[in-house]
Amino acid sequence: MKTIQIIPILLIVSLLTSCTETVIGPQGPQGIPGPEGPIGAPGESGFVFEYENINFTSGNGYEVILPYYDGFEGYDSDVALVYLLWGVDNEGVEIWRKLDQQILFEGGDVLLYKYDFTKFDVRLFLDATFPLSELSAIDTDEWVARIVVVPGDFWQAARVDASDYYAIEEALGLPELRTTHDNQMDRK
């Protein structure tokens, strides 16, 4: 009698174990694409502001406050990057340098172009190891600045060379501000 009960149990166990074996066959053809999903909310991207005719003088303490344009809402998490137009190369391509910039003069004197920022504006200022009143017009007059406000989330995840304005422009999808600055002195 025990033998009769054991045989069905062995058959059931053997059937169950044979069902668990998986055989993977060749991949089938590509299926039909599904419908396109709904358009999501617009994501954050960077903003760029350009300021011309910036002059550092004794009258403004060798600093300039550049407020963001009307209607722009900055956030505490935003990061501002500042670039100065340093010149134009032989092919007419603008050369932008990211601040902070350090200029070394003969004799070891140092001039620094620096900035700080809030969610409302950027402050550009000069610092030096000598009296700023000794600077010439090429060092202080008619600067052009581009301020790129980068969302904090992008900044945390970015793997972009921030010193390269054109790389930042591409990564953030910034509008091209290719304007000719004829009055720009070559500061190379």
Side-chain angles (χ1 to χ4, degrees):
M1 181 109 146
K2 286 187 180 185
T3 324
I4 296 175
Q5 289 177 350
I6 292 179
I7 291 176
I9 291 173
L10 287 176
L11 285 173
I12 292 172
V13 169
S14 67
L15 285 172
L16 289 176
T17 58
S18 67
C19 292
T20 60
E21 183 179 336
T22 55
V23 176
I24 299 174
Q27 184 173 347
Q30 178 70 31
I32 299 171
E36 188 172 322
I39 296 175
E44 289 184 292
S45 63
F47 296 88
V48 62
F49 307 105
E50 184 170 285
Y51 301 85
E52 295 182 330
N53 299 318
I54 298 169
N55 297 300
F56 300 98
T57 67
S58 61
N60 64 19
Y62 297 96
E63 72 175 31
V64 179
I65 305 290
L66 304 174
Y68 298 145
Y69 296 171
D70 288 340
F72 175 77
E73 184 179 352
Y75 297 100
D76 290 332
S77 61
D78 289 344
V79 175
L81 304 175
V82 179
Y83 301 85
L84 289 180
L85 180 59
W86 215 261
V88 179
D89 73 7
N90 294 336
E91 297 174 11
V93 176
E94 296 173 338
I95 301 167
W96 295 94
R97 286 195 181 175
K98 183 182 172 301
L99 296 187
D100 295 347
Q101 278 295 314
Q102 176 176 297
I103 309 301
L104 300 174
F105 291 94
E106 288 184 29
D109 285 329
V110 178
L111 170 63
L112 297 167
Y113 292 89
K114 300 180 83 167
Y115 77 102
D116 55 30
F117 64 92
T118 71
K119 65 180 182 179
F120 306 108
D121 57 31
V122 168
R123 179 177 71 111
L124 305 180
F125 59 98
L126 303 182
D127 194 8
T129 59
F130 56 91
L132 292 171
S133 59
E134 295 177 12
L135 291 170
S136 64
I138 197 165
D139 300 313
T140 60
D141 295 352
E142 297 183 26
W143 284 96
V144 177
R146 285 192 181 161
I147 299 170
V148 179
V149 180
V150 181
D153 291 346
F154 176 86
W155 186 250
Q156 295 296 330
R159 299 216 188 297
V160 180
D161 179 5
S163 67
D164 182 351
Y165 173 78
Y166 297 109
I168 289 289
E169 178 185 64
E170 183 179 334
L172 290 171
L174 299 175
E176 290 187 18
L177 300 177
R178 303 286 190 266
T179 56
T180 304
H181 299 286
D182 293 329
N183 62 348
Q184 179 64 28
M185 296 181 227
D186 191 8
R187 303 177 197 272
K188 292 184 203 176

